[in-house]
Each structure stands twice: as structure tokens, then as C-alpha cells.
Amino acid sequence: MNDIALVLWLERMYRRLRDTIQTRTIPALQSYFEESRTGAEVVWSRSPAHIRWFVFAFLFAAASRFWRLDMQSLWLDEGATWAEVTGKSYAVLARELISPDAAYPLYHLLLKGWVDLGGDSEFWLRLPSALFGALAIALLTLFVPRQPQRGFLLVLAATAPMFLWHAQDAKVYSMLLCVAVGLTMSHWRQKRWWALLLVLPFVHRLGFLMIAVLLITPALQHTGRRRTAYSIAAFCAGLISVVGIVDSIRAKAVLGAPTVFPLRSLFDLVARFLADRRWDDQIFSLPVWLWILPLLALLLLGTKQAVDAARTGNAQSLQLLFLAYIPVLMIVLSYGTTSSFDARYAVFSAPAWFVLMTNGASWTVHNVRLGKRHYSFVRVGRMVLLLAIAVNLVNLFEPARGIFSGAPVKEEWRVVMRELANRVNRNDVVVLHPPYALPLYRYYRRVTPDPLPRPVMFTVFSEGYRGSSTDLVAQREYQRRSFDVQFKAAVAGKHRALLVIAADHAAQIDPPIDAQSPYGWVGLYFQYPQKTWPCGGLDRYGVALLCQSFPSIAGTADAPQPEKRIDAQFGEELTLRGITIKPLGIFYQPNGTIPIELYWQARQPPLQNYHMFVHLCQRCNEPPFAQNDGPPLMGYGEAGMTKTWLVDDPVHDERSIVIPKYIKAGNYAVILGVYDDSGKRLPVVSAEGGVLGGDRLIIATIRVINESVIIR
């Protein structure tokens, strides 16, 4: 076949293929999708109205719960959840279903399967909570029999800050809300009520308290043996919950921790339920209690209506009142005098609160005269409801505090761990405080491909005092002495110490020493270093990174020495004695770091505070691929200002270059330079050569092979 025949044959085949697609394939696909669309429309139109509403309500609630689901870092409790589901086997988690020490075993068991299915990213860990949260709201709206009350309840609950928080939190409380909604809208004569009742204790052990409350209503509705049986069951469930609460308080008791009072706890719980804030917080400089007045008004109006209905023998209203207030009062009275109080322990009362608030929106005032106009009725409740929804939206988008403000509202472990990864060196010791933050340290090691050091933790603060259990001063002194000994042992032989600390959580076991600082003994050791050099850090929401460098190797009087000696003069004042460059792992990797230690000394008293830069470059007359630029020790302390350096006094400065994620294979140079405040670079003189342009020095050469950077 010659070329012309081949071209003609290809043209004929092209036309046949085009005609087949136009006359057969496309019409067939159109017919298929049309039939599918028509079938879906038929199924949708034939579905009961409450099913269609449920689907709409679920999608409406899910939209707000999926939005920015993984924007915030995991916080302490979410880290504990991750550790549970990834650190335990299915067999262990299954045994915990009947263990009295496991608070919410069913959630952990289900989440482990979920993680095995799709991984353990922040989004995937929180997705079950978002789904349970959307499902809870969609089900809750079905409790209201008609419109527009259903729509009111949907918008009010979907914008509730507390519901949104739990829906974007990898904890059990969104699942608990969902089960609580199912029980709230069910009747004890229904099978699903009994099924949910049996599941509830496995969702959360405090579910026994809700079971006790739920059994009160059928006990009052029956007589004879059935009343006795329901009463005994309610008493047993209540007794189990009380014993569990007492054990929980004992386990969490911390000597010297601040306590609260039941009335204050009640105020905090109300503020948490209605605004997800503390009672003494502020929103736009106004107290929280002022903002939640519309929500409180709806709650009180709905409560009055429920009380009136319960007096007429309405069992549903009676159960709604029991669910709304008995668990709240029990939690407040039990935890209200301890530092362990947390409003989320009573979260299964929240659905009843929102149903009551929606019922309160039906408040109508009749025969109203405003000026010359007369109104037969005014729907005051709906006006208050719209105001309450507006308050929810203001709360959600309040700058720096709202969940949807874009600002951090959870501890920023992701940011701080990335900063730690960017700074850590082989000769560093990393301290983590408090020790129970270890799961988050382990989780966020993934921010870098480099292996991070295993952190040092001081358990003396959580072990308790081995003397008097009531002498707080003696306990604190014992902790200080023990910590001092343990810290010196941990840093022996190291050049620098880095502290990762969650101050609010650390305060539970290592309380602040004075009101001027949020830190206890561990934090103060870094915040106000003695005989060490401060070397900066990072303070972010809920977690901070602090640094101190040791002028001499910890535990000795010897100054740290470089592995590679270099005698290079920068100007007339500074001498580079040498460098140490070692990978944290076996190889350097993209998105990892090149840790560098620079060893300096002054030849004569420096007249300016100089800055140093290290560049990673290939064609070094062009902009570098990556760099680290700044004064020594990040400019902190006297050692961070070269004007304070003494002649021949050794100074070591640790810094790192972050390797770009995508970097081509080839040879690269690491170059060093020094410049003054005006930006003028100091001239470089080195007997070993490697000087570029008279003001930059090649201190190392690296080679990138298969996305791994290897020092040579």
C-alpha cells in the first residue's frame, strides 16, 4: 500500500468512526441518561414529603460542615483519638466495648475501620463527625411536624456554633448527638427507641445518664409491675452514671488546679450550648450573655409551652423537658465544683434545647396597636428567631474567633511542627510538654520526610508528689528539683534545646508560677534562660516553640566544635571556624531540610550587627532555589547581635535550608555570605578557595539523585 492509498484508507475509517459516533453512540448515551434522569425524577416525585425534606436538610447541613473541614490543625483531644484508632488492634477495641475504663469504645472501633478504608488525613478523620452532625440535624427537623417550623429548626441548628464545632472535630460528640436526636424523636413503644437505648452506652458511658432520664417518662406513664421495672432500670442506669462520674472526677483531679462553682458552671454550659463560648467571653467587645439573649428568650418561651403541655398529660413534652434539663443539672452538680467540668458532657441535652427554642418561635401577640395601626396578631417569636440566627452567623464569622473566620480556633500543631522540622538539628534535644501531647507530635511528623528526634518528656509533673498530698508548695518544689535533674541529664552532650509546649494543657499539671507568664517550670526555663542563649521560636494559637542554645556543650565546659574546619575571614572582624552539615536521616529529601551549624568567632570587636545568608544554588549568579537569611541565633539575646561578641569567644549558630519539593537532579552548592545593616556584603578570604565574586563562600556541595539530596 502506497502513501496515497494509506491516506485515503485512514480518511474513510475516520468518516465511518465519526458517523458511528454521531448516529449511534451519542443518541444511545442521550437516551440512557434521559431515562436515568427521568427515573430519578419519578423516584423523587413519588417519595414521601418527609423523605424529600430529610434529603434536603441533610445536604443543607452537610454543606456547612464540609466547608474548610481540614483547615484547622488537629488539637489535643483529636490527637488522642488518632492514637487510639491507629495504635490499637480491632481485638483490643472490641474488648473495650465492655471495659469500664473506655469512655466511648464504639466510636473508636468504627473510626478504626474508617481510617483503614481511607487513611488518617485531617479531613478523613473528621468526615464521620461531619456526616453524623448533618444526619443529626436532618433527623432533628423531623421532630417538628410541619413547616415553617422545620425550616426554622434547620437554619437555627445548622448555624449553631456548638453543633458545627463537634461536626468538625474528630471526637465522639457528633455521633452522640445523632443517637441523642434519634432517642429524642422516638417513643418508648417503638423498636428503634430500644435499639438506640442499647447502643447508647457503647457510644459514650455517660449515656447511662440519658438512659436514666429516658426511663423516667415510661415509669410515670405506667402502673404496677411495669412502673416498678422502669423505675428500677432508671435507678440502676442513674447509679452507674453517678459512679462513672465520680471515678472520672477522681482520675482527672489535679492538686492545686482551679475549681469552679455550680452556678458559674451552669452559666458556662448555657453559653457553650448557645454560642460555644464561655460566659465571660466577648464577641465584638460585647459580653457573650448579651449576644445570647435572643436564644435564651426562645428557650424560655419554648420551655413554658412544654410545661403547659406537660400539665395536660402530654408525655412527649414531659420527656422533652426531662431530656433538656435533668442531664444538665446532673452534670453541673457533679462536675461543677471541679476543674474537670466540660459542657460537652451534657451534649445529649442540646437537641431538646433546640426543639424548645423552635417551639418558642411560635409565640404570637394578639391585638397589637402601634400608633394609629392595629394588628390582629404579631409573630414576635419569629422576629426573635431571626435575630437568634443572625447572632449565630455573627459568632461564626467573627474575626479571629469564629469557626468560619479563617483564623485559627484550634491549636496550630501543624504550623509549629513544620517550624520545628525547619529548625531541628542532629545536635538538638527536643522537649515536649505536656507528655500527653505526644500523639500530636507523632501525627505531625508527616510535615517533613526527615525523621524528627524522639522528644524528651518530663512525667514528674503528672506523677504527683511522693510526700504530703495536700502541701502544694512542697509538691511544686519537689517537681522543680526533679525536673532540674532530669533536664540536665536529657541535654547532656547537646548544643541546643527546642521546646514544643501547649501552655493551656501543660498548666493542668505544671501550673504557671506567676500571672506574668502562662508557663510553669518547664516553660519558664526556656522563656527566661539562665546561662544559655535564647534563639527565638514561634508562638501560635495554643502551642509554641521555644529555643535555647548552650554556649558550651551541655554538661561540660567545652565549646561545640565543627566537624569540618574552615578558616575563612569575613571582612576584618569575623572568622568562620568551621561547619557541621548532617542530614537528619540517611539522605536529604525534597521538602526536607539541610541542617547547618556555623561556628564563628570575632577577630576584633564587630562594629555592626551582621546578618548571614546561606543559599542553595546551581548557577549561583542566578536567584537561589532556597535560602536561609538572618542574624545569628535569629537575633535573640546578646549572642544574636554580633556587636556584643567578644574577641576569640566561640559562637555556634544553627540554621537550616528547606529543600524545595520539586527539584531537578544535578549538582548544587551551599554558599554562605555576610552583610551589614545597609545590605553591603563583607569580602571573603579563604585559604581553601571556594570564594565566589569575592563575597560568597562555597561551604558544601550536594547532589540530587532521584529526588534525594546526598551530601558529599
Side-chain angles (χ1 to χ4, degrees), residues 315-349:
Q316 189 179 61
S317 296
L318 184 63
Q319 179 167 295
L320 196 64
L321 289 170
F322 286 162
L323 287 174
Y325 294 111
I326 292 180
V328 166
L329 294 176
M330 286 291 294
I331 293 297
V332 166
L333 291 175
S334 301
Y335 287 98
T337 56
T338 74
S339 60
S340 304
F341 174 76
D342 197 324
R344 63 184 176 177
Y345 296 155
V347 74
F348 39 75
S349 289

Side-chain angles (χ1 to χ4, degrees), residues 387-551:
L387 188 59
I389 293 171
V391 168
N392 282 349
L393 295 175
V394 169
N395 193 343
L396 293 177
F397 290 95
E398 182 198 6
R401 295 291 302 276
I403 297 176
F404 293 153
S405 65
V409 295
K410 294 186 177 183
E411 298 151 14
E412 293 190 274
W413 283 91
R414 184 197 306 148
V415 177
V416 171
M417 288 298 293
R418 180 69 252 190
E419 179 68 13
L420 173 68
N422 291 350
R423 296 194 59 184
V424 73
N425 195 289
R426 270 182 174 268
N427 291 319
D428 293 340
V429 60
V430 176
V431 178
L432 178 66
H433 195 55
Y436 43 81
L438 181 61
L440 285 167
Y441 185 94
R442 291 172 51 219
Y443 181 86
Y444 281 111
R445 286 186 302 191
R446 65 188 65 189
V447 299
T448 176
D450 295 332
L452 296 180
R454 180 171 180 81
V456 173
M457 296 168 288
F458 302 105
T459 57
V460 63
F461 295 99
S462 54
E463 290 173 350
Y465 176 47
R466 298 173 186 174
S468 170
S469 60
T470 58
D471 189 345
L472 179 60
V473 175
Q475 175 176 339
R476 298 295 287 145
E477 180 60 23
Y478 165 77
Q479 290 174 337
R480 185 193 65 78
R481 292 197 307 267
S482 300
F483 161 68
D484 191 57
V485 173
Q486 293 177 12
F487 182 80
K488 289 179 179 178
V491 302
K494 298 297 184 179
H495 299 181
R496 192 173 60 162
L498 297 164
L499 169 66
V500 179
I501 181 170
D504 290 343
H505 300 298
Q508 300 298 314
I509 58 173
D510 183 18
I513 305 302
D514 58 61
Q516 303 301 319
S517 173
Y519 302 127
W521 290 123
V522 178
L524 286 177
Y525 199 92
F526 283 80
Q527 188 178 20
Y528 303 110
Q530 303 293 321
K531 299 181 181 180
T532 59
W533 297 330
C535 43
L538 182 69
D539 190 1
R540 300 303 292 261
Y541 188 88
V543 60
L545 175 67
L546 303 178
C547 174
Q548 61 175 252
S549 183
F550 306 124

